[in-house]
Structures are given as C-alpha cells and as structure tokens.
Amino acid sequence: MTDLIPPQPGDRAPAASALDARGEPVALETFWRDGPAVLVFLRHWG
Amino acid sequence: VFCRYHLTQLRRAHEKFEAIPARIVAVGQGTPADRDSFVEAHGPYPFPVLCDPDRDAFRAYGLARGSLYNVAMHPNVLAKATEAYLAGERQGRTVGDGMQLPGSFVVSSEGIVLFAHAGKQSSDFPSIDAVLAAL
C-alpha cells in the first residue's frame, strides 16, 4: 500500500491524461468541459 | 472480471447518464492494443475507453495498489466474483499491475470533484445509483 490520497468532494480534479482510441494522450478534463462526467478507473482488462 | 462487470453495468445505465446529461469515460491499464482487444471482445461501449499504460492517471487520482488479500481473497471480492459469474461474466487475462485498485469519480463542468470512491478491494465499485445520485 502507498500513501496516495484520492481527491475528495470539493477538491479540484487532478490534471491527468490517458491514451485515446488512436493511442494519443488526451487530457481527462476534456470530458467534463461541457458538463459533468463520470471517470471510472478499471484495474485491468480482465 | 469486476472491470468488465462494471463496464456492462455502465453500458446498461448509459441512457440514464445521457439524460442528465453526463459523460462517462473509462480508463484502464495496459497498452492501446490491450484495450482494443478487450473492446473488440466485449464492446462496443457507448463511451470512451482510454488506457494508461504507465498508470500516471491512476496515481494522480490517488488510487493505490492493494494487498493480495484485498485484491483476491477478501470476502467482498469473493462475493462480488460470484455475483459477476452468475451474471455471465468471466475472468480474462490480467493486464498491467494486478494489485492496482479501482476508483470512480464524478467531476463537475467546473472541474470540481462531486463524488469520489477509491476502491478498497479489487471488486469495490460504487453502485450505479450512487454515481447517478451525485450528478
């Protein structure tokens, strides 16, 4: 275990990016720019 | 198996999110090729499915690695695995760090976190209703 601390309600969403369908990095904030978004982190593709 | 089970639940509830309207974005481990083969086998999904091979986004959102107990042996994990198997889901090949824990967040258009659920076990996803209630 590590001491990572997830953001809590009221906190600003951390800046981060992930790879899109073309393998290009996309900023996650892109997804809530026009409205709220649900961001789901999955462990793996199993 | 929990990942695909949760994605299936999100896919089923997609219209409820669309009605709000709220977007869904999923981020997994592994390479684009890993993601593509998963989506080919189990998709399509009506929302973007991204990947984070270096787990930088996982770390940015404070999502930790779990213990073997919390990933594979906790009673909640075994109960959820049974539920997922009965729903027809099957375990696939593990990609990336098998100890990585999941997480779900709702973020407002101002970039403020409205809901945060950092998984304590590999099977620990919030209910769809809890996520919808945050929107």
Side-chain angles (χ1 to χ4, degrees):
Chain A
M1 299 290 281
T2 70
D3 57 356
L4 293 171
I5 300 171
Q8 297 302 305
D11 291 348
R12 180 154 290 281
S17 62
L19 304 182
D20 67 10
R22 296 163 302 166
E24 299 290 331
V26 56
L28 296 181
E29 64 187 39
T30 306
F31 296 98
W32 49 81
R33 194 168 282 158
D34 299 323
V38 181
L39 174 62
V40 182
F41 288 93
L42 307 162
R43 280 165 21 85
H44 54 75
W45 305 118
Chain B
V1 68
F2 306 119
C3 306
R4 66 177 68 173
Y5 186 43
H6 192 61
L7 281 179
T8 299
Q9 292 178 322
L10 286 170
R11 178 165 55 195
R12 285 199 190 117
H14 180 249
E15 286 178 6
K16 292 181 184 171
F17 289 96
E18 225 170 33
I20 289 176
R23 299 187 72 177
I24 297 170
V25 56
V27 179
Q29 299 190 67
T31 64
D34 295 326
R35 181 264 321 279
D36 291 348
S37 58
F38 177 85
V39 171
E40 195 173 316
H42 305 285
Y45 296 100
F47 43 81
V49 180
L50 310 180
C51 58
D52 182 23
D54 300 324
R55 295 190 298 122
D56 290 336
F58 280 86
R59 279 190 289 274
Y61 278 78
L63 299 175
R65 299 177 78 243
S67 63
L68 184 61
Y69 178 71
N70 282 330
V71 167
M73 297 185 286
H74 192 286
N76 290 350
V77 174
L78 303 179
K80 191 73 172 281
T82 304
E83 181 185 319
Y85 271 69
L86 289 175
E89 304 289 356
R90 295 294 177 264
Q91 178 66 40
R93 182 172 64 96
T94 297
V95 169
D97 186 339
M99 297 293 151
Q100 176 67 56
L101 293 172
S104 297
F105 301 87
V106 174
V107 184
S108 75
S109 57
E110 291 79 33
I112 302 300
V113 174
L114 302 176
F115 172 90
H117 184 106
K120 292 183 176 61
Q121 296 99 32
S122 57
S123 58
D124 185 13
F125 288 96
S127 72
I128 299 296
D129 285 345
V131 175
L132 282 167
L135 285 160

